[in-house]
């Protein structure tokens, strides 16, 4: 009985404080040694899925997912620029994609290609340190990436619990805090090698306050060293 | 005696009349009346959002002529009269190489590029579209969604009760759960289909609709058989490829076809029109197959296109791309790959290895190396045929460049990339190809030798 109340107490405390949690980062050996230098990056539009978890089941919240997708590039760009990295202009505004179907499809295809690789990276992220992962030719032939040293892929999986779910969780002693898990991968635009991979978890009201994601994301890129500008 | 003959005659007459009326072609039964609930309106809104989302994400294939073709066919199959409440019929082609089709509650019907590349004629496509239209007309998405939500509420209550007696979850565990979050009902039905009863309802009604539009209903069975076949080692199945379900469907649809009298003596099949309308999308689907790791399907589709269009340089270029992507694989799976052990090994490889690692593992075997040589030879032949048919086919030169680069033939590689850049100086990838050309030219340059005089002896 005491243990159950302790669990419920921690859960309620976490909901109240909206703690930001776990993060991790993994660097390619050539990036770490300075053999490969990244000074300019192109951020691809993030893919985020926010799921409402409720008593009537789960469903993807498309509008909320889009809100987080819109917020993440600026958050990462700020973090990258603070490290001295140049972030190239966004070539993927909705208006630009609407006018250029080839660009829209090329973007969709390379994003899908990354997602196929991402499932392996997220299972064994430590293998980034062995230089295991590469996107190969797909990246090399992605024309908008030609001017950048690296492409940045951003993925987010968020959960928003309904009031009913939170109450049920508190009673059952199960943590039902809202949270989002953000993965960011930096991929060499010439070789396709995955140079860096970091992930972070942010708890709390990340949709209403996307700025909450900034510190965890920054912390997940602490070890990323940007090369000096020539 | 006279009475007996009269009775017999009357009985015969009755039998004839009954037989004749049973076989008359009749329009499909009108859909039942439907009362919308708040849950249904939520689903409708979600369907509208999904339409916009899929378009924004580049998932919808853009070809106005093809969309018009599919729309015209879809319209022909609809029942006469006003559209059902809250349905706006829209027909889309989805950029997805898996043979599949689905309908949303709002009347949006999607047919995958993979399905269009697989089917052979318009009658087969009519069967698929009529089936999907029935789901919308008979409100199946709403019914299935209501059922899903009832089950989810029960599951949540049980989970809460169970957790109260055991260990707490914690945020780490919840993250894992998120990764395997149950897809909402709307996505599940698009992949795995509806309940057996609703799918059967859709199939039976589709037979009547196809018949009333004067298409051959027999082609529905042929479409199922095509869907049963595959060039890949299939490790999971969407509804349209699920074999037990397909066998079941062939059974009851055959019965329905047998009980249906064709509208005319020669119902339409329209193979030529279909092949012409879908040539480009089939060719584009080859690239999607390659990207999805379905190289064997890419080769099969490309071979069929090249046979149908022997004077098409682009089709031969696509064939070259397909064989180049096939690499260390045989064009069709071997019996060992199709065995239970083979599929088990394939599942393990898929989870353990990336695509590149999988290819490298195949290349380490003698069979893989032999298959690679054969694939590269066929790829080169196809590209050269493409160039022979149209010397200005820049993409074919580009393909040859990549092929020779892989074969470590830098001089030939450089020659082809140079040709490509001359033919397409404004190509979007010219910067990347120029880099590869420089690299190939460097590799193929003869080694520099010096003729310095020997230094004098002390």
């Amino acid at each position: 009985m005491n243990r159950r109340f302790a669990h419920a107490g921690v859960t309620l405390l976490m909901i109240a404080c909206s703690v930001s949690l776990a993060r991790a980062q993994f660097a390619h050996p050539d990036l770490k040694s300075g053999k490969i230098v990244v000074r300019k990056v192109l951020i691809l539009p993030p893919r985020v899925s926010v799921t409402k978890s409720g008593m009537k089941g789960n469903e993807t919240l498309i509008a909320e997912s889009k809100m987080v997708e819109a917020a993440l590039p600026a958050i990462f760009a700020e973090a990258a620029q603070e490290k001295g990295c140049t972030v190239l202009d966004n070539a993927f505004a909705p208006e630009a994609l609407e006018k250029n179907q080839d660009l829209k499809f090329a973007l969709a295809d390379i994003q899908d290609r990354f997602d196929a690789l991402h499932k392996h990276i997220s299972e064994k992220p430590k293998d980034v340190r062995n230089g295991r992962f590469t996107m190969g030719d797909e990246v090399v032939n992605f024309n908008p990436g030609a001017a950048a040293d690296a492409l940045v892929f951003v993925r987010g999986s968020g959960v928003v619990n309904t009031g009913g779910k939170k109450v049920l969780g508190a009673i059952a002693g199960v943590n039902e805090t809202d949270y989002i898990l953000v993965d960011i991968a930096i991929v060499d635009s010439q070789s396709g090698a995955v140079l860096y991979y970091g992930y972070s978890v942010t708890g709390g009201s990340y949709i209403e306050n996307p700025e909450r994601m900034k510190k965890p994301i920054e912390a997940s890129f602490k070890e990323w060293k940007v090369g000096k500008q020539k | 005696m006279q009475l007996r003959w009269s009775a017999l005659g009357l009985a015969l007459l009755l039998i004839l009349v009954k037989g004749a009326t049973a076989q008359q072609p009749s329009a499909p039964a009108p859909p039942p009346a439907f009362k919308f609930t708040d849950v249904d309106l939520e689903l409708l809104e979600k369907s509208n959002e999904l339409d916009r989302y899929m378009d924004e994400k580049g998932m919808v294939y853009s070809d106005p002529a093809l969309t018009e073709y599919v729309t015209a066919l879809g319209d022909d199959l609809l029942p006469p009269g006003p559209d059902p409440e809250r349905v706006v019929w829209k027909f889309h082609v989805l950029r997805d190489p898996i043979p599949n089709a689905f309908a949303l509650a709002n009347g949006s019907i999607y047919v995958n590029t993979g399905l269009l590349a697989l089917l052979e004629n318009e009658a087969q496509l009519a069967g698929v579209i009529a089936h999907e239209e029935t789901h919308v007309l008979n409100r199946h998405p709403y019914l299935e969604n209501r059922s899903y939500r009832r089950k989810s509420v029960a599951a949540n209550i049980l989970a809460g009760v169970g957790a109260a007696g055991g260990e707490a979850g914690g945020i780490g565990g919840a993250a894992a759960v998120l990764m395997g979050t149950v897809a909402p009902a709307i996505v599940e039905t698009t992949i795995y289909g509806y309940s057996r009863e609703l799918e059967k309802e859709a199939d039976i009604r589709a037979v009547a609709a196809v018949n009333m539009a004067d298409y051959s209903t027999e082609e529905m069975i042929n479409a199922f058989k095509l869907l049963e076949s595959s060039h890949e080692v299939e490790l999971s199945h969407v509804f349209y490829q699920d074999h037990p379900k397909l066998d079941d469907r062939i059974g009851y649809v055959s019965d329905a076809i047998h009980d249906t009298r064709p509208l005319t003596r020669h119902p339409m099949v329209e193979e030529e029109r279909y092949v012409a309308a879908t040539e480009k999308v089939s060719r584009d689907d080859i690239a999607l197959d390659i990207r999805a790791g379905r190289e064997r399907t890419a080769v099969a589709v490309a071979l069929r296109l090249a046979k149908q269009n022997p004077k098409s340089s682009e089709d031969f270029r696509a064939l070259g791309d397909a064989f180049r992507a096939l690499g260390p694989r045989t064009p069709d799976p071997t019996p060992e790959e199709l065995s239970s052990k083979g599929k088990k090994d394939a599942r393990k490889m898929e989870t353990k290895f990336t695509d590149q690692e999988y290819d490298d593992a195949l290349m380490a075997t003698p069979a893989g190396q032999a298959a690679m040589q054969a694939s590269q030879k066929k790829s080169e032949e196809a590209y050269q045929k493409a160039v022979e048919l149209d010397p200005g086919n820049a993409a074919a030169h580009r393909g040859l460049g990549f092929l020779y680069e892989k074969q470590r033939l830098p001089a030939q590689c450089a020659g082809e990339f140079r040709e490509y850049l001359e033919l397409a100086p404004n190509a979007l990838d010219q910067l990347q190809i120029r880099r590869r050309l420089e690299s190939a030219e460097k590799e193929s340059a003869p080694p520099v030798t010096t003729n310095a005089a020997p230094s004098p002896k002390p």
Side-chain angles (χ1 to χ4, degrees), chain A residues 3-4 7 21 46 51 54-63 66 69 98 101 104-105 108-109 113 117 120 123 132-134 137-138 140-143 146 157-159 165 168 172-175 179 181 190, chain B residues 42 46 49-50 53 55-58 60 62 95 148-149 152-153 156-157 160 163-164 167-171 174-175 178-179 181-182 184 288 291 350-355 357 398 402 428-429 431-432 435-436:
Chain A
R3 192 166 164 214
R4 193 196 293 178
H7 275 301
L21 296 165
T51 304
M55 295 297 293
K56 292 175 189 168
N58 300 328
E59 61 180 271
T60 306
L61 300 175
I62 293 179
K66 281 184 180 177
E69 284 176 353
E98 228 17 70
Q101 296 285 303
K104 191 198 254 190
F105 296 151
D109 291 344
R113 182 72 188 90
L117 185 64
H120 294 285
E123 265 175 31
R132 180 186 166 200
F133 302 111
T134 176
D137 283 350
E138 197 76 33
V140 181
N141 298 327
F142 181 62
N143 313 313
S157 301
V159 170
K165 197 83 192 287
L168 183 71
V174 172
N175 189 345
Y179 65 89
L181 173 69
Q190 302 310 312
Chain B
E42 257 182 58
K46 192 70 71 180
E49 267 185 343
L50 256 178
Y53 185 82
D55 186 41
E56 278 165 16
K57 295 299 178 189
V60 178
S62 170
R95 296 176 76 240
Y148 163 77
R149 287 171 80 96
S152 293
V153 172
N156 271 318
I157 290 169
E167 291 289 324
I171 204 164
L178 173 68
M179 294 306 173
T181 293
V182 172
L288 296 174
R291 211 164 272 123
E350 204 175 83
T351 40
K352 214 175 147 186
F353 292 139
T354 63
D355 292 347
E357 289 166 341
R398 183 177 177 276
F402 283 131
L428 291 175
D429 63 351
L431 197 57
Q432 282 101 323
R435 282 199 194 111
R436 291 176 109 117

Side-chain angles (χ1 to χ4, degrees), chain B residues 203-204 207 218 220-228 242-258:
Chain B
D203 277 332
I204 301 298
V207 171
E218 295 287 342
M220 287 178 70
I221 304 296
N222 291 335
F224 292 151
K225 289 179 178 164
L226 279 172
L227 287 161
E228 275 194 322
D242 188 314
H243 289 204
K245 284 179 179 166
L246 280 169
D247 288 341
D248 195 23
R249 293 173 80 189
I250 288 173
Y252 61 66
V253 167
S254 296
D255 291 342
I257 290 171
H258 184 260

Side-chain angles (χ1 to χ4, degrees), chain B residues 154-360:
Chain B
N156 271 318
I157 290 169
L158 284 172
V161 165
E167 291 289 324
I171 204 164
V177 167
L178 173 68
M179 294 306 173
T181 293
V182 172
I186 195 170
V187 175
E188 272 210 32
T189 53
T190 65
I191 297 172
Y192 300 114
Y194 295 84
S195 67
R196 188 187 182 276
E197 293 70 31
L198 295 184
E199 289 297 348
K200 187 172 178 180
E201 194 179 307
D203 277 332
I204 301 298
R205 191 194 162 279
V207 171
V210 164
N211 187 47
M212 286 309 291
D214 198 21
Y215 283 102
S216 164
T217 50
E218 295 287 342
E219 288 299 323
M220 287 178 70
I221 304 296
N222 291 335
F224 292 151
K225 289 179 178 164
L226 279 172
L227 287 161
E228 275 194 322
S229 68
S230 176
H231 299 278
E232 308 292 338
V233 179
E234 300 286 4
L235 301 179
S236 62
H237 296 283
V238 299
F239 170 68
Y240 272 98
Q241 286 188 303
D242 188 314
H243 289 204
K245 284 179 179 166
L246 280 169
D247 288 341
D248 195 23
R249 293 173 80 189
I250 288 173
Y252 61 66
V253 167
S254 296
D255 291 342
I257 290 171
H258 184 260
D259 292 339
T260 303
R261 187 177 169 192
L263 193 71
T264 62
R265 290 189 69 170
H266 301 288
M268 294 186 289
V269 171
E270 295 293 357
E271 182 181 338
E272 261 187 53
R273 189 163 69 184
Y274 179 83
V275 164
T278 58
E279 186 196 346
K280 185 173 182 304
V281 67
S282 298
R283 190 169 55 234
D284 290 343
D285 189 64
I286 290 168
L288 296 174
D289 270 317
I290 290 170
R291 211 164 272 123
R294 297 168 60 84
E295 296 88 356
R296 286 163 160 153
T297 304
V299 164
V301 172
L303 279 170
R304 195 195 76 217
L305 279 179
K307 191 175 173 189
Q308 281 170 345
N309 308 291
K311 299 235 183 322
S312 168
S313 175
E314 266 301 283
D315 286 349
F316 277 96
R317 188 272 309 157
L319 181 61
D321 288 346
F323 270 116
R324 184 161 60 86
L326 185 67
R329 290 167 204 80
T330 50
D332 280 296
T334 60
E336 291 76 28
E337 285 180 280
L338 292 171
S339 66
S340 313
K341 184 183 177 305
K343 286 189 182 182
K344 198 176 165 188
D345 290 343
R347 267 191 203 93
K348 230 189 269 180
M349 296 279 271
E350 204 175 83
T351 40
K352 214 175 147 186
F353 292 139
T354 63
D355 292 347
Q356 187 63 53
E357 289 166 341
Y358 192 87
D359 276 10
D360 291 345

Side-chain angles (χ1 to χ4, degrees), chain B residues 404-405 407-415 439-445:
Chain B
Y404 293 140
E405 188 181 63
Q407 291 177 316
R408 299 191 203 282
L409 299 170
Q412 288 96 315
C413 167
S439 181
E441 280 172 341
K442 210 171 167 184
E443 252 183 278
S444 61

